[in-house]
Amino acid sequence: MMSDLKAIIEKDEQIMYEGRPNKACFIFECIFNPMLPFALVWAIFDFTILSVAIDEIPDNLVFMLLSFFAFHLLPVWIYLGGVVLSIRKYKNTAYIVTDRAIYISDGAFSKSLTRKSFAELSNIHMHRGIFDQWFKVGDVIATSGQLTEKGRTAAAKICNISEYLEVYNLVKKLQTDIYTDVMYPNALRPDENPGYKTKYKG
């Protein structure tokens, strides 16, 4: 996955950070997701009913009963499938930050490679959930300037990394420098643009 990301980086870009999420935290977050209580209650209810019903029905209807509950447990299978796929998703997840953009590789069945230039990003913030604090990692989340009904959308998420503070400061500085240079160019962007208190040219 890291080699795939490096293959789409432009030759004149400089890699400032490359890394992958903490495996334990990544999988724990997939296991203990909001669907877990629902799937647990659903499973307890179904297996309680099944244990009572299976002793009460004729032997020739047992297969039909088991088939019904196998289908009725679909929310539980969906949850368990998501947990299993999290291992596959972890293998496909990687992050690279260059002096121009954030590159992210992810996906379970198929692999997705995403590039978000700093000129597209308007805000950077850091997040640390319960498991992040437990495993001493954190998330760096970049949002775009585009507003939706739910607010600003997350354009790039670098999740569960141990270097979260260093990456946050790096991404914040690069985003501030480049976004300011794009939005408020000096000298109306001549062939060589001195920029706004940045080292970026052209």
Side-chain angles (χ1 to χ4, degrees):
M1 50 278 164
M2 197 65 74
S3 59
D4 290 339
L5 279 182
K6 289 183 177 179
I8 65 172
I9 295 175
E10 296 180 16
K11 293 181 179 180
D12 57 346
E13 286 187 68
Q14 179 183 355
I15 295 177
M16 313 292 285
Y17 166 81
E18 58 181 276
R20 303 188 63 218
N22 177 283
K23 185 175 183 179
C25 185
F26 189 93
I27 294 176
F28 261 70
E29 286 187 347
C30 291
I31 294 173
F32 296 95
N33 63 53
M35 194 174 176
L36 174 59
F38 176 76
L40 190 59
V41 171
W42 194 283
I44 291 172
F45 176 80
D46 271 19
F47 282 113
T48 300
I49 298 298
L50 180 61
S51 64
V52 173
I54 202 167
D55 293 329
E56 302 295 330
I57 65 170
D59 292 343
N60 62 328
L61 295 179
V62 169
F63 178 76
M64 185 179 297
L65 178 68
L66 293 176
S67 299
F68 169 78
F69 275 99
F71 178 77
H72 196 260
L73 283 165
L74 186 60
V76 179
W77 307 139
I78 292 174
Y79 165 76
L80 292 176
V83 173
V84 172
L85 285 176
S86 68
I87 299 173
R88 173 70 179 173
K89 187 175 180 181
Y90 169 78
K91 292 180 179 179
N92 287 336
T93 302
Y95 312 112
I96 290 179
V97 178
T98 72
D99 56 352
R100 292 188 183 179
I102 297 173
Y103 293 82
I104 297 175
S105 168
D106 63 4
F109 290 109
S110 60
K111 186 185 297 183
S112 174
L113 304 178
T114 304
R115 180 187 191 273
K116 288 294 179 181
S117 68
F118 290 112
E120 300 176 60
L121 307 177
S122 61
N123 186 51
I124 312 295
H125 68 277
M126 187 167 53
H127 173 266
R128 299 190 71 207
I130 295 175
F131 293 116
D132 290 321
Q133 296 176 53
W134 188 2
F135 291 102
K136 298 181 180 180
V137 298
D139 308 333
V140 178
I141 302 172
T143 58
S144 68
Q146 184 178 3
L147 282 171
T148 65
E149 293 179 357
K150 296 182 179 180
R152 299 190 186 278
T153 56
K157 300 175 89 172
I158 304 175
C159 300
N160 310 134
I161 57 170
S162 56
E163 311 90 343
Y164 61 92
L165 189 57
E166 293 86 346
V167 174
Y168 168 76
N169 288 327
L170 170 66
V171 170
K172 183 176 65 172
K173 181 182 185 306
L174 290 168
Q175 186 274 334
T176 300
D177 286 351
I178 295 177
Y179 188 78
T180 302
D181 198 33
V182 170
M183 297 302 293
Y184 305 100
N186 289 346
L188 297 179
R189 280 199 174 276
D191 292 336
E192 184 174 299
N193 180 18
Y196 179 76
K197 298 181 181 179
T198 78
K199 64 182 180 181
Y200 304 99
K201 304 291 184 181

